[in-house]
Amino acid sequence: MYSINELFNSLKEFPAMPNVIMHALKIMKNPNSSAKELAKVIGYDQSLSTKVLTLVNSSYYGFTQQITSISRAIALLGMSQSKNLILTVAMRPMLVNQGDKELWKHSMMAAIGCEYIARNYKIMDPDEAFVIGFLHDLGKVVLNLKDAKLYETVKESAKESGNILEAERASFGTDHCQMGSLLTKKWQLPLLINNAIKYHHSPNLSSMPTACSLVYFVDALVKDNFDIDSLDQDVIKNLNIQILNPQVLKESIIVKAQVLLRELST
């Protein structure tokens, strides 16, 4: 059985962060950067530009006028939301091709759910919440790349047992949380993202328990078999919110997510 680092380093091909995301993050880090610079990065990729404009004009964002330029779209959305839009479009091929469509769908549901709850309950920055929700299962891509057939058996086993981490550890000696954490370090992503990926199944081990607890809750909430009684209440307490009707909350998130999923699937 491999150690965690040995398994990660034994990959013949590491998942590469899409170039457009790398450039977008570089621009975002520069306090003197402008929407024009970000628009230029998007403009280099015609298919990305088309998809971004399609999404901006969808009912998800609710703009009353038709948006016909990337610069205008970024001006209306703001830099952070624009970055998230780039992230969802550019990461889709990786999550679908090196994971599967269900992973992509769940990642989108989690992203929108984290953003929605963060905004409505004032838990954390909604744009950051979107990112950690979207990337929380990134480690599943790594395990699938290591051995796709074996990971299929892991997923089947998890359907019966209800515990994906145990199934992963039994077959790989590690889990998607650990693998995702190593990948975020390789990609040099912020500590918040690393924590959310590494600890979304065990938020109280994190130095950022609120963010990790949000992902923990939404990860469960958007699944078909959601059962609030199965959640660790010590984790839920970290959110410091009262959700009177989780089912209504879930339905609100799904309705919002379906708009983006529909547009991104065309």
Side-chain angles (χ1 to χ4, degrees), residues 72-161:
R72 178 64 175 155
I74 293 172
L76 288 169
L77 289 174
M79 295 285 273
S80 292
Q81 277 203 55
S82 298
K83 177 198 68 180
N84 291 351
L85 196 53
I86 295 168
L87 180 73
T88 56
V89 175
M91 286 289 291
R92 184 179 185 273
M94 177 187 293
L95 291 175
V96 171
N97 298 331
Q98 297 176 354
D100 56 41
K101 287 184 179 179
E102 283 305 308
L103 176 59
W104 158 250
K105 180 181 176 182
H106 177 70
S107 298
M108 286 299 301
M109 293 278 192
I112 290 163
C114 286
E115 178 190 48
Y116 184 86
I117 293 173
R119 176 172 285 112
N120 284 281
Y121 290 90
K122 307 292 189 294
I123 292 173
M124 62 180 290
D125 181 275
D127 294 327
E128 290 185 344
F130 183 97
V131 174
I132 61 175
F134 185 70
L135 294 177
H136 76 281
D137 274 342
L138 189 60
K140 292 181 178 180
V141 171
V142 180
L143 293 176
N144 190 70
L145 273 175
K146 178 59 185 173
D147 192 328
K149 288 184 178 179
L150 180 59
Y151 200 60
E152 278 300 316
T153 65
V154 165
K155 288 189 288 186
E156 289 302 316
S157 175
K159 285 179 183 177
E160 295 180 13
S161 68

Side-chain angles (χ1 to χ4, degrees), residues 4-25:
I4 295 170
N5 285 299
E6 284 174 341
L7 188 145
F8 186 77
N9 292 326
S10 71
L11 285 173
K12 293 179 181 178
E13 182 180 345
F14 286 101
M17 181 188 290
N19 285 331
V20 67
I21 298 178
M22 290 178 63
H23 290 308
L25 290 176

Side-chain angles (χ1 to χ4, degrees), residues 61-73:
Y61 290 101
F63 294 123
T64 54
Q65 74 270 42
Q66 185 78 5
I67 314 300
T68 57
S69 76
I70 294 296
S71 295
R72 178 64 175 155

Side-chain angles (χ1 to χ4, degrees), residues 30-31 66 72 128 130 165 172 188 191 200 205 228 260:
N30 183 355
Q66 185 78 5
R72 178 64 175 155
E128 290 185 344
F130 183 97
L165 297 184
F172 289 95
Q188 298 181 325
L191 182 62
H200 68 271
L205 297 180
I228 195 166
L260 276 188

